[in-house]
């Protein structure tokens, strides 16, 4: 779901979040493991004060495993509970179950001291568009469960998915908006496909991606396309166009098409497991 954000969207999304936050104990925040900072909206830290917090590094299957670990450590040091997950294939779901209990231990203890027994923890999934919120809810809660709440008109009230006797999940995720103030954030979100491609110059963006891959993941482009990485990004794009037969009419090389090939391969993990933001740089 590629969504562009305008002030109206943001106000609505924020208001909805604030309403839903009143109902829950725990925020399960999804970030994209390939861009864990750019795919976050830091406003959630203010909105979610006094809530238990769990960060899921989703799409961990597409990200560099060493960086997944580094980001896990980074967020853990900041006081979050963290789990790496692959919602598409169900990886990490058991760990999420366990971590929910861990993250809410304080609340469970508090309830017990007050004599409240068996009140389930209520949780909400939140994140910017395309991080995998729906996929996670479906995988985690089981498809049948999640569906009931999606039928329009079934009920106007909130739908809760009962995960077990201890945990209930709000069936509609909280939608956060990306923070575009830093140009790099926009570029990275575009690289992973979270911004409409036709809003950006994909050829220029591909040169940035090539530059990044050459420096941080040397060898991956050479391996996939047989290009010489010591050449400039433009030369690499040209070689890729040749290697993949990206031609316009009249045998002219089609750079835009070659950029599209690189983005498709990158987004689907065919170039390898790549992380565009490294935790070491952010400490
Ligand atoms: P959202 O609700 O946050 O907007 O995201 P959504 O679940 O719609 O997921 C966005 C895309 O990300 C989907 O791909 C989904 O399959 C993919 N995805 C979600 N979680 C993971 C994950 O852990 N690993 C990987 N590799 N992909 C994930 P799509 O191309 O839009 O749809 P589809 O082709 O999968 O149907």
């Amino acid at each position: 779901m590629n969504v562009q954000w305008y002030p109206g969207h943001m106000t609505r999304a924020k208001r909805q979040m604030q309403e839903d936050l009143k109902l829950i104990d725990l925020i399960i925040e999804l970030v994209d493991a390939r861009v864990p900072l750019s795919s976050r909206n830091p406003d959630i830290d203010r909105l979610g004060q006094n809530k238990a917090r769990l960060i899921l590094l989703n799409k961990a299957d597409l990200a560099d495993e060493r960086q997944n670990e580094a980001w896990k450590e980074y967020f853990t040091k900041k006081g979050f509970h963290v789990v790496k997950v692959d919602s598409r294939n169900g990886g990490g779901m058991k760990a999420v179950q366990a971590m929910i209990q861990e993250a809410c231990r304080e609340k469970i203890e508090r309830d017990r001291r007050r004599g409240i027994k068996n009140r389930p923890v209520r949780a909400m999934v939140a994140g910017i568009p395309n991080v995998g919120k729906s996929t996670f809810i479906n995988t985690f809660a089981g498809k049948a469960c999640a569906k009931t709440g999606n039928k329009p008109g079934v009920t106007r009230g909130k739908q809760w998915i009962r995960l077990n006797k201890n945990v209930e999940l709000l069936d509609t995720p909280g939608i956060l908006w990306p923070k575009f103030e830093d140009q790099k954030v926009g570029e990275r979100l575009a690289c992973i496909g979270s911004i409409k491609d036709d809003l950006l110059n994909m050829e220029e963006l591909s040169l940035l991606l090539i530059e990044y891959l050459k420096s941080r993941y040397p060898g991956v482009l050479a391996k996939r396309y047989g290009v010489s990485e010591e050449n400039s990004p433009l030369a690499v794009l040209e070689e890729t166009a040749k290697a993949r037969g990206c031609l316009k009419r009249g045998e002219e090389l089609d750079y835009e098409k070659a950029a599209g090939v690189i983005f498709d391969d990158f987004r689907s993990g065919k170039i390898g497991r790549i992380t565009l933001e490294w935790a070491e740089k952010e400490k």
Side-chain angles (χ1 to χ4, degrees):
M1 180 175 56
N2 293 316
V3 174
Q4 304 313 317
W5 287 90
Y6 302 103
H9 280 136
M10 291 191 244
T11 315
R12 259 196 309 281
K14 197 167 185 168
R15 205 176 300 138
Q16 187 63 53
M17 271 296 273
Q18 279 164 333
E19 283 305 307
D20 288 348
L21 283 167
K22 288 180 196 154
L23 308 172
I24 55 133
D25 310 295
L26 168 72
I27 303 176
I28 303 175
E29 181 192 353
L30 264 74
V31 302
D32 188 308
R34 295 165 297 172
V35 286
L37 294 186
S38 293
S39 59
R40 281 196 89 208
N41 181 329
D43 288 357
I44 196 172
D45 292 338
R46 199 169 28 78
L47 288 169
Q49 268 172 0
N50 310 322
K51 304 289 174 191
R53 301 291 300 277
L54 171 55
I55 288 188
L56 302 185
L57 294 168
N58 193 41
K59 308 196 189 184
D61 55 306
L62 296 174
D64 171 351
E65 185 54 21
R66 216 161 38 96
Q67 286 305 314
N68 288 342
E69 279 304 319
W71 281 111
K72 191 171 168 190
E73 194 186 321
Y74 172 94
F75 285 118
T76 304
K77 275 197 183 136
K78 291 202 180 295
F80 297 99
H81 291 84
V82 188
V83 182
K84 295 178 289 180
V85 292
D86 166 6
S87 297
R88 185 128 78 176
N89 296 303
M93 297 300 140
K94 274 216 179 89
V96 174
Q97 272 287 7
M99 202 57 105
I100 288 177
Q101 299 303 323
E102 178 77 28
C104 294
R105 193 187 302 191
E106 233 175 77
K107 179 212 160 288
I108 295 165
E109 288 294 318
R110 203 168 49 231
D111 276 359
R112 190 172 317 162
R113 280 198 303 274
R114 291 175 181 165
I116 305 167
K117 270 194 211 140
N118 303 329
R119 192 169 71 92
V121 165
R122 289 193 144 182
M124 177 176 79
V125 171
I128 68 167
N130 217 41
V131 282
K133 297 178 296 298
S134 318
T135 310
F136 170 75
I137 292 176
N138 280 332
T139 306
F140 189 60
K143 287 196 170 64
C145 289
K147 248 189 211 154
T148 48
N150 288 337
K151 284 186 201 148
V154 167
T155 171
R156 300 178 77 87
K158 291 285 165 195
Q159 290 281 291
W160 296 90
I161 303 164
R162 203 177 174 90
L163 295 174
N164 55 43
K165 68 178 180 13
N166 301 319
V167 187
E168 287 180 0
L169 188 67
L170 194 59
D171 83 325
T172 42
I175 299 176
L176 294 159
W177 55 102
K179 256 200 146 46
F180 287 122
E181 279 132 47
D182 179 353
Q183 193 187 325
K184 288 247 164 299
V185 170
E187 287 167 5
R188 288 167 186 166
L189 291 175
C191 280
I192 63 165
S194 284
I195 294 176
K196 273 201 186 102
D197 284 354
D198 48 8
L199 289 177
L200 285 132
N201 182 330
M202 296 311 281
E203 200 179 311
E204 263 172 40
L205 192 67
S206 76
L207 298 179
L208 294 177
L209 180 62
I210 291 169
E211 182 74 66
Y212 181 85
L213 293 172
K214 266 159 44 106
S215 75
R216 291 287 176 81
Y217 294 94
V220 296
L221 289 168
K223 188 168 166 221
R224 177 104 192 135
Y225 307 113
V227 296
S228 330
E229 292 189 2
E230 55 280 8
N231 293 340
S232 70
L234 188 59
V236 169
L237 187 63
E238 184 179 346
E239 280 186 77
T240 307
K242 281 183 194 150
R244 290 298 155 112
C246 303
L247 297 171
K248 289 184 190 167
R249 247 187 276 161
E251 301 293 284
E252 196 187 328
L253 288 174
D254 190 336
Y255 288 87
E256 205 179 324
K257 201 164 172 189
V261 167
I262 293 175
F263 280 116
D264 284 350
D265 287 353
F266 166 71
R267 290 169 186 171
S268 59
K270 289 194 189 109
I271 288 182
R273 294 175 63 176
I274 308 280
T275 300
L276 295 181
E277 285 169 344
W278 279 20
E280 292 85 350
K281 301 266 166 200
E282 309 295 339
K283 276 177 189 153

